[in-house]
Amino acid sequence: MAGGGRGSGRPAKKKSPTKGTGGNIRRGLEGKGATPPAHMRHWYKDKARTERIEREEKTGRSSSPRTPARTRRSEDGPEYIGGRNPVVEALRAGVPASALYVAQRIDNDDRVRESIRIAADRGIAMLEVGREKLDRLTEGGVHQGVALQIPAYEYAHPEDLVHAAQEAAEVPLIVALDGVTDPRNLGAIARSATAFGAHGLVVPSRRSAGVTAGAWKTSAGTLANMTVARAANLTATLREYREAGLFVIGLDGESKVDIGDANLLDGPLVVVVGSEGKGLSRLVREACDLVVRIPMHAAAESLNAGVAAGIALYEVARHRKR
């Protein structure tokens, strides 16, 4: 038999390895281990961005000159409302806004169209941005492709409220909030204060509700005509009001004096509203000329701060009309 082989008695010629195999068959039999999580896969599209953000948060510096480091938003910085219902409701309520952010290629519905229309009518800037931008603005909240920027509120000085009353040739009436942390209560108090002729609100700079979007919405726009001052130390501010000739009356359910029996309501006055749970703090109580209560049935242990302020201000207005 020609050609060699088993029948030729000569050893068969070894076949050369095929070019490019490189031992793939052997490696293919080896185990690949557990599937890595998504953030470790080389095809994870957000891996680089995630690592950069984590690095910037640790170092406080940006790895790229074009990308600023993510910093915690200042308390006095702008606020962002996210979500189609919250945004359109804020615009309907006349909440002051500086910009409306809308995601690219958003699926428009009635709420989005109405938000855009109101923003256009009020001259609010509108910007089309990517969803990553909206994620950052709303700090990971559910924005549904829209966000509304609310500028930081410019607080007055407590002395400005007295000056406003003097310029109007009116008897000063100021409302101070002690421990009220719900912005909706602040908005409700602003609404009552406007209705009964108060010259402004005073809120502490710490551990207190501020003028946020929630406060604007609850006030039904009255915050646009009501001055809010911020006090670094509420107790010291109340003492300064007393030195300026104003009487300070605190609302507290544990008092034995009914507000209707107080004889200071027709003079220059500061009404201090405490929190629903703790009422007035000890130092604030000591800074008051008089602490009064709103009489009510024992079944109701306390009133909402906004409701209590409205009743007290009505009583003040009633006494001043006598």
Side-chain angles (χ1 to χ4, degrees):
M1 294 175 56
R6 291 182 182 178
S8 65
R10 289 179 294 174
K13 188 176 181 180
K14 292 185 177 180
K15 191 175 183 181
S16 301
T18 304
K19 184 178 180 181
T21 57
N24 285 341
I25 297 177
R26 183 174 62 254
R27 286 199 300 268
L29 297 175
E30 296 177 357
K32 297 183 180 180
T35 302
H39 67 274
M40 295 179 63
R41 302 176 197 172
H42 68 277
W43 58 88
Y44 182 54
K45 65 178 181 179
D46 290 331
K47 180 180 178 181
R49 182 176 64 87
T50 302
E51 291 177 349
R52 174 178 54 78
I53 292 173
E54 291 177 352
R55 183 167 58 254
E56 290 172 3
E57 289 177 342
K58 290 179 181 179
T59 62
R61 297 191 305 271
S62 172
S63 58
S64 171
R66 297 183 179 179
T67 307
R70 293 184 65 186
T71 56
R72 187 174 181 179
R73 189 163 66 228
S74 168
E75 183 180 331
D76 293 326
E79 181 183 2
Y80 295 90
I81 304 175
R84 300 188 181 191
N85 280 334
V87 166
V88 72
E89 288 173 2
L91 289 169
R92 289 170 181 168
V95 173
S98 52
L100 174 65
Y101 292 85
V102 181
Q104 297 168 346
R105 296 184 297 276
I106 188 173
D107 53 327
N108 285 344
D109 61 8
D110 292 340
R111 297 166 297 178
V112 175
R113 285 190 288 270
E114 183 177 357
S115 297
I116 294 174
R117 179 182 58 78
I118 296 175
D121 292 342
R122 290 175 50 187
I124 299 172
M126 287 181 282
L127 299 93
E128 188 177 23
V129 297
R131 290 188 176 269
E132 290 184 359
K133 173 76 171 180
L134 290 171
D135 291 340
R136 290 195 299 271
L137 294 179
T138 59
E139 297 182 340
V142 179
H143 51 72
Q144 298 175 303
V146 290
L148 188 67
Q149 184 186 62
I150 309 299
Y153 184 82
E154 295 184 5
Y155 293 91
H157 190 277
E159 292 181 358
D160 296 340
L161 307 184
V162 180
H163 295 159
Q166 293 173 345
E167 291 177 0
E170 298 173 349
V171 180
L173 175 58
I174 298 170
V175 182
L177 279 60
D178 177 30
V180 177
T181 57
D182 190 340
R184 294 171 296 182
N185 276 334
L186 189 152
I189 293 171
R191 193 171 183 177
S192 297
T194 303
F196 296 112
H199 296 97
L201 308 180
V202 178
V203 297
S205 58
R206 299 179 60 190
R207 294 186 292 274
S208 175
V211 182
T212 63
W216 274 104
K217 289 171 62 177
T218 310
S219 76
T222 55
L223 273 170
N225 302 309
M226 175 58 54
T227 304
V228 180
R230 176 176 279 178
N233 186 313
L234 182 59
T235 304
T237 298
L238 295 178
R239 293 197 186 104
E240 291 172 359
Y241 279 146
R242 292 177 65 182
E243 293 173 359
L246 281 71
F247 299 109
V248 179
I249 291 183
L251 296 180
D252 197 304
E254 296 181 0
S255 174
K256 304 299 182 182
V257 181
D258 290 350
I259 188 171
D261 298 332
N263 56 4
L264 303 175
L265 302 185
D266 56 352
L269 191 65
V270 180
V271 178
V272 187
V273 182
S275 64
E276 299 94 327
K278 298 181 180 179
L280 299 176
S281 62
R282 179 181 61 83
L283 293 177
V284 168
R285 176 189 286 268
E286 293 174 355
C288 294
D289 293 295
L290 181 65
V291 177
V292 298
R293 66 172 184 145
I294 297 173
M296 55 186 165
H297 290 291
E301 295 182 359
S302 64
L303 291 173
N304 175 277
V307 174
I311 295 173
L313 291 170
Y314 166 76
E315 192 67 27
V316 171
R318 190 174 68 85
H319 274 69
R320 293 188 171 192
K321 287 182 179 180
R322 290 179 177 177

